[in-house]
């Protein structure tokens, strides 16, 4: 049921977004670029709206957003319940599951950070 609701929500957003891009291309371009400014994507010298802007609200965009949102359904953690065994990617690009890193009865410590 949750997947159906997510499908309906994402599909509605994509249809509305695509319609707005067709009816008001300049306004949508400004809106998408403003979103890029919030994420500081525009500071990248190789950033170009023409490279990625038109992909918004495409069929591939729809499939990608659905895939991400459906995967996140599996990632929910609840107090007192077992931790979700979500996929993680190492620095070398290998995909593992989070609980693959547990050893015996030792606690698993996750350290989140950023490297730029």
């Amino acid at each position: 049921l949750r997947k159906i609701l997510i499908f309906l929500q994402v599909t509605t957003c994509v249809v509305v977004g695509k319609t707005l891009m067709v009816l008001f291309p300049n306004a949508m371009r400004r809106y998408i670029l403003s979103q890029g400014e919030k994420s500081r994507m525009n500071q990248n010298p190789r950033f170009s709206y023409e490279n990625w802007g038109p992909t918004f609200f495409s069929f591939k965009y729809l499939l990608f957003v659905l895939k991400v949102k459906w995967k996140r359904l599996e990632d929910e953690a609840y107090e007192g319940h077992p931790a979700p065994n979500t996929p993680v990617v190492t620095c070398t690009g290998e995909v593992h599951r989070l609980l693959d890193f547990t050893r015996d009865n030792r606690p698993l410590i996750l350290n989140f950070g950023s490297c730029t």
Side-chain angles (χ1 to χ4, degrees):
L1 180 63
R2 291 174 72 190
K3 281 189 175 184
I4 292 171
L5 291 175
I6 289 171
F7 174 78
L8 292 173
Q9 176 196 19
V10 172
T11 303
T12 302
C13 289
V14 168
V15 168
V16 169
K18 191 61 158 182
T19 303
L20 291 173
M21 282 185 85
V22 169
L23 296 176
F24 309 103
N26 293 330
M28 287 301 288
R29 177 187 172 111
R30 285 192 305 273
Y31 173 75
I32 291 170
L33 286 172
S34 73
Q35 297 304 306
E37 287 173 12
K38 288 181 184 177
S39 67
R40 295 189 291 214
M41 189 190 315
N42 298 13
Q43 294 177 0
N44 183 341
R46 292 181 277 175
F47 171 83
S48 170
Y49 173 82
E50 287 72 25
N51 290 340
W52 61 270
T55 65
F56 270 71
F57 309 116
S58 66
F59 185 68
K60 282 186 179 182
Y61 174 87
L62 170 72
L63 294 179
F64 175 77
V65 173
L66 284 175
K67 179 181 173 183
V68 169
K69 287 190 172 274
W70 285 346
K71 277 285 188 196
R72 290 205 175 142
L73 286 175
E74 302 167 7
D75 294 347
E76 293 184 24
Y78 300 97
E79 187 175 343
H81 290 83
N85 194 15
T86 61
V88 292
V89 180
T90 66
C91 293
T92 59
E94 297 175 71
V95 178
H96 296 278
R97 303 296 279 180
L98 183 64
L99 297 179
D100 293 345
F101 297 98
T102 58
R103 301 283 183 259
D104 301 321
N105 287 330
R106 297 183 346 200
L108 177 64
I109 298 172
L110 304 176
N111 183 12
F112 296 95
S114 160
C115 37
T116 54

